[in-house]
Amino acid sequence: MEIAGTVGLITDEQDFRAMQQYSTFTFNDFAVYLTALEALLRNREAEGIHMQVALFDPQEFADFCASAGLDPDSPDSRARYTARLATTGPALPHTGQALADLIPPLIKGALRQATWEYASAVLARLGACTVCGKDIGQAAYARASALLARILDTAQQGLSHLVVCSVAAEPETVTAVLRADTDPEGAIRLDEAAALEFTAVLALGLATGSAGGLVMRTTPRSAPDQVYGWRMRMGDLETLTASEVFDAYCTDAESGSLISPEPDVDYCPPPDLGLDTTSPGDGH
């Protein structure tokens, strides 16, 4: 194993087979590979050595070697790539849990990072507004941050909130999901990485004028869940009526067939955010 304070974990059979093209990668069975990796981590833990686990992507590894002029069929190259993962992420600390418990959050973190990087790259390419000179991407991100704050501030008090933002993009729709939990003192707690991803996706929709939507679901302490939302159209957020939210929730996205509504759920119009939802650059 190539260790540099971080273990690079291959998470599925397909990626494992991709690594088998290298003669210095000596594992022939994926299950045996996972067992050996778990044993290594347990040994390091017994020795008092702190370890973290990062997602090892064979294609990114090959690109890394090509960019750095390294031989990919080399333990040293794998060690250098693994060390890089410690700073570029995603990576999770190993605290004795089974690798099977680490794989889902690692994959989720990788998808979240890829979404954030894509949205941020598109925003950066938009450049400056030809009329006011402001950076369109930065202005959209600031607007998205303010909108997210207002969406959470105007929500009914509850145990948790789930916000979903979808933006039509090529080659496929970009979606971000943000969960906000309320602590005993009433303060809202967010996962920072998820909030950054969500804000970038919302900014992407505002800045590019792409079609999309934003839905909020709140779980109050002693009342039915509340669901409401907005559609994105030409850089604006337009409120959805209660019937539009109901139709969206009770229609299968793929088949278009009707779905039975959930019990104890109120489909309602959203509160007034009290902000100009127009995207930067509109009106010029």
Side-chain angles (χ1 to χ4, degrees):
M1 300 290 177
E2 294 73 40
I3 306 299
T6 301
V7 168
L9 173 63
I10 300 168
T11 58
D12 59 49
E13 293 268 9
Q14 182 177 348
D15 284 351
F16 181 79
R17 289 194 297 271
M19 291 302 295
Q20 286 183 302
Q21 66 180 296
Y22 305 121
S23 62
T24 55
F25 185 81
T26 57
F27 291 97
N28 296 315
D29 182 86
F30 185 54
V32 171
Y33 161 79
L34 292 178
T35 299
L37 205 59
E38 281 193 328
L40 173 66
L41 289 169
R42 284 196 300 270
N43 290 337
R44 289 292 188 268
E45 183 182 11
E47 295 169 0
I49 300 174
H50 172 75
M51 299 296 295
Q52 62 178 356
V53 180
L55 189 67
F56 192 106
D57 185 287
Q59 184 57 56
E60 287 188 0
F61 167 65
D63 294 341
F64 168 79
C65 290
S67 175
L70 300 174
D71 176 12
D73 196 359
S74 164
D76 180 65
S77 297
R78 291 197 293 275
R80 291 179 63 175
Y81 173 70
T82 300
R84 178 176 175 270
L85 293 177
T87 57
T88 59
L92 296 172
H94 180 260
T95 56
Q97 65 271 57
L99 286 183
D101 295 331
L102 283 174
I103 289 176
L106 275 176
I107 294 175
K108 183 178 181 180
L111 292 173
R112 177 179 293 163
Q113 181 170 313
T115 300
W116 176 82
E117 289 176 350
Y118 168 78
S120 298
V122 173
L123 291 171
R125 290 198 299 266
L126 294 177
C129 174
T130 57
V131 176
C132 68
K134 292 183 178 179
D135 185 286
I136 296 173
Q138 291 180 3
Y141 196 91
R143 172 62 62 181
S145 297
L147 285 171
L148 176 58
R150 287 299 298 159
I151 287 168
L152 294 175
D153 287 344
T154 57
Q156 179 180 342
Q157 289 294 320
L159 297 175
S160 65
H161 311 283
L162 190 69
V163 201
V164 180
C165 182
S166 297
V167 175
E170 293 295 336
E172 60 186 18
T173 298
V174 179
T175 301
V177 179
L178 178 63
R179 181 183 178 89
D181 295 313
T182 305
D183 66 17
E185 286 73 37
I188 292 178
R189 303 298 182 191
L190 300 172
D191 178 271
E192 184 177 349
L196 289 173
E197 177 206 20
F198 187 95
T199 305
V201 171
L202 178 55
L204 175 68
L206 296 175
T208 61
S210 301
L214 194 154
V215 175
M216 174 74 159
R217 179 168 184 154
T218 296
T219 301
R221 287 182 170 80
S222 57
D225 283 12
Q226 283 194 343
V227 178
Y228 50 82
W230 300 260
R231 70 168 57 86
M232 266 186 262
R233 179 178 293 172
M234 301 301 293
D236 291 346
L237 287 185
E238 299 178 354
T239 60
L240 294 173
T241 64
S243 60
E244 287 174 326
V245 176
F246 178 88
D247 289 343
Y249 254 74
C250 299
T251 303
D252 185 89
E254 295 184 359
S255 66
S257 59
L258 295 178
I259 304 173
S260 298
E262 295 182 62
D264 296 323
V265 174
D266 286 340
Y267 303 94
C268 51
D272 181 10
L273 298 180
L275 290 173
D276 178 14
T277 59
T278 304
S279 65
D282 279 5
H284 289 317

